[in-house]
Amino acid sequence: MKITVIGTGYVGLVQGVILSEFGHRVICLDIDEKKINSLNNGILPIYEPGLKEILDRNVLEGRLKFTTNKKYALQDSEVIFIAVGTPPGDDGSADLTYVLQCAKDIGKNIKDYAVIVNKSTVPVGTGDLVEETIKNELLKREVKIEFDVVSNPEFLREGKAVNDCLRPDRVVIGSENKKATGLMKKIYDVLYINKTPFVFTNRRTSEMIKYASNAFLAVKISFINEMALLAEKVGANTQEIAQAMGMDGRISPKFLHCGPGYGGSCFPKDTRAIVEIGKEYGEEMSVVASAISANEKQKRKITEKIVKEMAGVKDKTICVLGLSFKPDTDDVRDAPSLDIIKGLIENGAKIKAYCPKGIEEAKWRLENYRSHIEYCKNEEDASKDADAVILITEWNQFRGINLDELKERMKGEFYFDLRNVHTKHCKVRSLFKYYPVGQS
């Protein structure tokens, strides 16, 4: 099939590459000439394990192309995926500017029947807006071209996105037309044959499934983090609490890991968006709103704990290991590291930071604090002469760090393990003043 994917950000690029791997002819369209030039030279704008190898193979075999030419990309495509950003507005609601601009471009350029697929995370009812926008553009052209708009939300985990596309837990398709549904089945024929679960529903239900899924996962994280705060005070162990809870089939152990709070491109944005959608329809999303508040509280409590246990951090050097919101990604959007670093600097600390992939993005996100932060080339440099080490992101290389050597490099003895990576290490408590999360 001839497919166009609009947007070469995280979702669009991964989706386009994997669709070409499924055997389709894919054009990835973006208005950013620099990004498209880089992609045409085999340079990816994101870090995602396994993606470059698949991209290179499909470019070589002629199934995958990158362009800024809207007419070339849109006029002959059978299926057009909209995979552009929906950033939060000042009130937390999703900004549909880019999505609706895509709809205008589609209306201006399509020549024959096409299925328009909303892959972006969008509020309930966006499919209707996209349909109306395309119709208005066709009216201006004074042409009659049939099309259908479908919702097909993404459920990608950064760092594991390639596998999530090749072996998804489920594929959700929200469609109002059998013809469009049939084409969507054809697109995902490889997954259909492999008996991947498919959910066929209407557009609005599909749009809400994405928000409901992310909101629920965020609630689980905030819940276990609140349990961790209480466990520290009563002398309980949150890891063991979570393990026992997860044995209950109704609960499951996933996303029951206490830590410094959630971050990234989805949970913060999507939870705020669904709260705003609720306001629009006169329905208070009190559980989700509480999860948002609990997440902000968790980051604040972590910072307060560090300051308290160190009897203040003024003029002290603190090593931060991990800046990205999770391992195996360079994404620092809404990462807990940002708030914790800002809080420590505002209390007078000096920061030495290292992250395998997140440093470049962190630099501009923490631009206002640059005079207080030294970005290091590895964990050895970052921890040298530090008064304390804070492990914020659980990259595998930090799991294997030699604690004896770490202690020798440090000036102080504080180790705040915000991911409970070394709680079971036999020597950690004898080497450091050791502070995990959710246990004493």
Side-chain angles (χ1 to χ4, degrees):
M1 294 183 67
K2 295 180 181 178
I3 297 173
T4 292
V5 178
I6 309 177
T8 57
Y10 192 86
V11 173
L13 183 58
V14 174
Q15 184 70 28
V17 170
I18 297 303
L19 286 173
S20 69
E21 181 74 356
F22 288 168
H24 302 297
R25 286 172 290 167
V26 178
I27 298 172
C28 290
L29 171 66
D30 203 295
I31 60 172
D32 188 333
E33 290 187 12
K34 183 178 178 181
K35 188 186 287 188
I36 291 299
N37 288 336
S38 294
L39 285 166
N40 279 322
N41 286 299
I43 302 170
L44 275 66
I46 61 171
Y47 173 74
E48 182 61 37
L51 185 63
K52 179 166 171 50
E53 294 82 355
I54 302 175
L55 182 147
D56 289 344
R57 179 169 62 249
N58 283 282
V59 168
L60 185 64
E61 294 178 2
R63 287 195 296 267
L64 181 61
K65 300 181 186 296
F66 303 97
T67 187
T68 58
N69 188 320
K70 295 176 183 178
K71 184 176 181 180
Y72 163 71
L74 297 172
Q75 64 179 1
D76 294 321
S77 286
E78 299 169 79
V79 179
I80 302 168
F81 282 81
I82 297 175
V84 293
T86 52
D90 293 337
D91 61 357
S93 62
D95 184 346
L96 296 178
T97 300
Y98 303 118
V99 170
L100 296 180
Q101 182 58 54
C102 290
K104 288 181 180 179
D105 291 337
I106 291 166
K108 290 175 181 177
N109 288 284
I110 57 172
K111 293 198 307 184
D112 297 301
Y113 175 82
V115 174
I116 319 304
V117 184
N118 271 336
K119 200 72 182 175
S120 303
T121 301
V122 293
V124 178
T126 300
D128 299 342
L129 291 175
V130 169
E131 186 175 301
E132 182 182 349
T133 302
I134 295 172
K135 283 181 178 177
N136 287 339
E137 292 301 323
L138 292 174
L139 281 172
K140 292 177 185 177
R141 290 171 58 191
E142 297 182 347
V143 295
K144 187 173 183 180
I145 300 172
E146 291 187 4
F147 67 94
D148 285 299
V149 177
V150 169
S151 169
N152 174 219
E154 54 87 13
F155 299 97
L156 304 183
R157 298 169 296 169
E158 294 191 31
K160 296 179 172 62
V162 170
N163 184 71
D164 287 345
C165 271
L166 294 172
R167 302 170 191 84
D169 291 333
R170 79 287 203 196
V171 175
V172 177
I173 295 172
S175 174
E176 311 294 336
N177 181 282
K178 287 184 178 179
K179 182 178 180 180
T181 302
L183 278 174
M184 294 303 294
K185 286 181 181 178
K186 189 176 178 183
I187 286 174
Y188 292 118
D189 192 50
V190 173
L191 301 178
Y192 209 66
I193 290 171
N194 291 337
K195 297 186 177 179
T196 299
F198 275 67
V199 177
F200 295 101
T201 183
N202 61 44
R203 260 194 331 232
R204 289 185 169 234
T205 302
S206 175
E207 290 167 342
M208 193 160 174
I209 285 170
K210 169 67 175 181
Y211 280 116
S213 297
N214 279 355
F216 183 72
L217 294 175
V219 167
K220 286 189 77 172
I221 294 170
S222 288
F223 173 85
I224 202 64
N225 281 338
E226 284 209 325
M227 291 298 106
L229 292 174
L230 181 58
E232 288 182 10
K233 293 184 176 179
V234 303
N237 186 311
T238 312
Q239 282 183 299
E240 294 173 4
I241 293 169
Q243 181 183 17
M245 288 175 62
M247 292 175 181
D248 189 324
R250 299 168 299 175
I251 297 174
S252 118
K254 294 181 179 179
F255 286 81
L256 283 180
H257 303 288
C258 57
Y262 60 75
S265 60
C266 292
F267 289 179
K269 174 174 72 76
D270 293 352
T271 49
R272 292 194 293 266
I274 199 168
V275 167
E276 289 305 313
I277 293 169
K279 288 179 182 178
E280 181 184 346
Y281 286 89
E283 206 57 60
E284 183 181 3
M285 299 286 102
S286 54
V287 172
V288 182
S290 295
I292 295 170
S293 297
N295 192 59
E296 293 305 309
K297 178 180 73 174
Q298 184 70 4
K299 292 181 285 187
R300 186 173 66 253
K301 288 276 189 178
I302 291 285
T303 305
E304 290 171 357
K305 177 181 177 180
I306 294 167
V307 173
K308 177 184 175 184
E309 297 300 340
M310 293 184 68
V313 295
K314 185 173 175 55
D315 297 325
K316 293 178 181 177
T317 300
I318 297 178
C319 163
V320 171
L321 298 180
L323 298 167
S324 55
F325 85 96
K326 63 180 289 189
D328 296 321
T329 182
D330 56 357
D331 195 344
V332 186
R333 282 175 287 183
D334 282 306
S337 62
L338 300 179
D339 290 302
I340 292 169
I341 287 172
K342 290 175 185 177
L344 293 173
I345 290 173
E346 287 163 3
N347 276 278
K350 302 172 185 176
I351 303 295
K352 294 178 72 178
Y354 170 67
C355 183
K357 293 293 178 182
I359 287 177
E360 292 308 312
E361 184 177 334
K363 283 180 179 178
W364 65 264
R365 290 193 181 275
L366 291 167
E367 171 67 20
N368 292 338
Y369 297 82
R370 67 183 183 280
S371 61
H372 304 278
I373 305 172
E374 177 185 350
Y375 295 97
C376 301
K377 63 182 179 181
N378 53 44
E379 59 263 41
E380 287 81 11
D381 283 355
S383 56
K384 190 173 191 247
D385 296 326
D387 293 289
V389 168
I390 309 173
L391 194 158
I392 298 184
T393 315
E394 66 277 32
W395 287 83
N396 281 337
Q397 66 192 75
F398 299 153
R399 294 179 183 275
I401 201 167
N402 186 306
L403 295 182
D404 290 288
E405 294 178 1
L406 176 65
K407 180 63 174 66
E408 287 178 13
R409 290 192 296 270
M410 293 173 62
K411 180 171 64 177
E413 55 187 351
F414 291 92
Y415 178 23
F416 297 91
D417 184 357
L418 305 190
R419 298 292 181 175
N420 293 338
V421 167
H422 291 120
T423 53
K424 295 183 180 178
H425 193 287
C426 59
K427 294 176 66 177
V428 69
R429 295 177 194 277
S430 63
L431 288 170
F432 303 94
K433 288 182 178 177
Y434 178 68
Y435 299 93
V437 175
Q439 56 187 280
S440 55

